[in-house]
């Protein structure tokens, strides 16, 4: 019912939404996989609507706990619903101390999930692909610039220490190699937000011992972004919208790395998979209007038809929506 555009907001505004959190917690403790996946799916659908703002704030700790536990669950549907829920609550987190601390945990867990994602092994496994997309969205939201710059910087530092920069760059390459524009674009947006938050600083520093590895990862990410932004790759197979969005995000990646490392791209060649055809990419380059160190949030995980408890179901496509985070992430509905 939450999928319905009229009934969904009314359901989300009911007190029972908070009761679902308790149902999910109890199901997790008692090992009831199907119930847990169903409850997480309902919460993911309901938190799509802004009327759940109060519930998300009041039960933030529990929602984060459920999402992080669900991401590493052995039940594949639980992982998917947990990733969708995490993406939605990450865009609403405020600047409180608890949310500041949770941002680091969210970013670190999301980074580990992406490090384990293998697009070759997962080819044909639609659920694992969707988990990767939603986890990228959660990272993008956790590291977005406004309204919580300090929390975003702390989340970015935790993500970087957990290997997010390289993992996201690899996701972009994997998406390009398989002509999967959604994976490539979502990973590029997340990468731009992580690096942008690191460049802004003000809330979190990468721990001692990670500096050299991070610099190498940033250089690789910049090389990938440079090949995209300068039109060295054939992006036509991704579609016009995905190609232009990927070029814009790549421009933001380059700006962030230049701000941190002074990277200018001279002499770089990352040999990103695909055709080295100069005519295939958008001519907009990396200097498109709006490119800046300000994070761009990932839209809410759209309500989907549940496949829990039945076979042959079909999840609706999860489409990202973007808006300048400086205008407020809560506008992304």
């Amino acid at each position: 019912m939450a999928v319905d555009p009229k009934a969904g907001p009314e359901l989300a505004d009911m007190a029972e939404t908070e009761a679902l959190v308790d149902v999910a917690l109890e199901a997790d403790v008692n090992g009831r996989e199907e119930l847990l996946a169903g409850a997480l799916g309902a919460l993911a659908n309901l938190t799509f609507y802004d009327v759940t703002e109060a519930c998300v704030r009041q039960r933030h700790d529990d929602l984060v706990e459920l999402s992080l536990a669900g991401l590493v669950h052995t039940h594949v549907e639980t992982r998917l619903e947990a990733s969708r829920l995490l993406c939605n609550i990450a865009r609403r987190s405020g600047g409180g101390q608890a949310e500041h601390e949770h941002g680091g945990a969210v970013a670190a867990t999301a980074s580990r999930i992406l490090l384990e994602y293998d697009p070759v092994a997962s080819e044909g496994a639609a659920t694992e692909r969707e988990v990767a997309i939603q986890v990228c969205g959660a990272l993008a939201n956790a590291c977005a610039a406004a309204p919580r710059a300090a929390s975003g910087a702390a989340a970015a530092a935790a993500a970087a220490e957990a290997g997010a920069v390289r993992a996201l760059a690899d996701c972009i390459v994997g998406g390009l190699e398989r002509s999967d524009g959604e994976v490539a674009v979502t990973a590029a947006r997340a990468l731009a937000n992580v690096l942008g938050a690191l460049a802004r600083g003000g809330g979190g520093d990468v721990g001692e011992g990670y500096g050299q590895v991070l610099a190498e990862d940033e250089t690789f990410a910049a090389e990938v972004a440079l090949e995209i932004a300068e039109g060295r790759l054939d992006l036509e197979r991704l579609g016009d919208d995905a190609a232009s969005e990927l070029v814009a995000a790549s421009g933001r990646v380059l700006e962030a790395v230049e701000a941190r490392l002074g990277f200018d791209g001279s002499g770089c060649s990352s040999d990103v998979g695909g055709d080295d055809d100069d005519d295939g990419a958008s001519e907009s380059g990396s200097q498109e209007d709006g490119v800046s160190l300000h994070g761009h949030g990932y839209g809410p995980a759209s309500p989907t038809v549940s496949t829990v408890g039945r076979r042959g179901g079909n999840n609706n496509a999860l489409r990202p929506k973007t808006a300048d985070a400086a205008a407020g992430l809560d506008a992304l509905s």
Side-chain angles (χ1 to χ4, degrees):
M1 292 180 67
V3 178
D4 185 87
K6 292 184 178 179
E10 294 180 8
L11 285 171
D13 199 26
M14 296 172 64
E16 284 76 6
T17 298
E18 189 170 349
L20 276 171
V21 180
D22 296 320
V23 170
L25 288 169
E26 183 179 353
D28 186 33
V29 170
N30 295 325
R32 301 176 65 181
E33 290 184 348
E34 295 289 339
L35 179 58
L36 175 60
L40 289 176
L43 286 168
N45 282 355
L46 293 170
T47 53
F48 170 84
Y49 303 104
D50 290 337
V51 294
T52 56
E53 177 80 19
C55 176
V56 171
R57 291 289 174 85
Q58 291 168 7
R59 303 300 298 270
H60 188 270
D61 292 8
D62 291 331
L63 288 168
V64 170
E65 177 186 331
L66 284 167
S67 298
L68 296 184
L71 276 177
V72 296
H73 204 282
T74 56
H75 189 242
V76 65
E77 283 294 336
T78 298
R79 292 202 300 277
L80 174 58
E81 302 302 354
S83 69
R84 293 176 55 235
L85 176 60
L86 187 65
C87 187
N88 281 350
I89 62 176
R91 74 189 177 97
R92 292 223 180 90
S93 296
Q97 181 61 31
E99 285 132 331
H100 184 93
E101 294 171 357
H102 285 148
V106 167
T109 302
S111 302
R112 287 193 290 271
I113 296 297
L114 290 175
L115 282 170
E116 295 172 2
Y117 174 64
D118 183 348
V120 176
S122 300
E123 197 156 13
T127 301
E128 295 299 339
R129 171 184 174 275
E130 290 174 6
V131 168
I133 289 171
Q134 294 299 337
V135 166
C136 285
L139 262 180
N141 287 343
C143 300
R148 52 190 192 287
S151 294
E161 290 183 5
V165 174
R166 183 61 187 238
L168 288 166
D170 285 341
C171 277
I172 297 171
V173 174
L176 289 172
E177 289 176 343
R178 286 158 188 78
S179 300
D180 191 335
E182 189 170 14
V183 168
V185 169
T186 312
R189 288 175 180 155
L191 179 60
N193 279 10
V194 170
L195 293 176
L198 289 175
R200 288 189 305 274
D205 296 313
V206 176
E208 187 176 352
Y210 291 94
Q212 182 59 39
V213 173
L214 177 57
E216 293 172 0
D217 290 348
E218 286 182 277
T219 300
F220 173 74
E223 290 172 357
V224 172
L226 189 65
E227 294 208 5
I228 295 169
E230 291 194 344
R232 302 178 191 173
L233 304 176
D234 178 10
L235 303 183
E236 287 184 346
R237 55 192 173 181
L238 304 181
D240 291 343
D241 290 345
S244 61
E245 290 173 10
L246 185 58
V247 169
S250 297
R252 293 173 52 230
V253 168
L254 289 170
E255 286 198 1
V257 177
E258 183 178 3
R260 280 178 49 78
L261 303 181
F263 178 91
D264 62 6
S266 59
C268 289
S269 177
S270 63
D271 294 328
V272 177
D275 225 346
D276 287 334
D277 184 345
D278 288 343
D279 297 327
S282 166
E283 296 296 326
S284 59
S286 64
Q287 299 302 316
E288 165 174 294
D289 288 345
V291 174
S292 70
L293 296 184
H294 292 295
H296 286 218
Y298 182 92
S302 304
T304 66
V305 177
S306 174
T307 60
V308 175
R310 60 185 177 87
R311 297 294 177 261
N314 177 37
N315 277 345
N316 295 337
L318 305 177
R319 301 297 181 191
K321 303 174 184 177
T322 59
D324 194 328
L329 293 177
D330 292 336
L332 305 176
S333 58

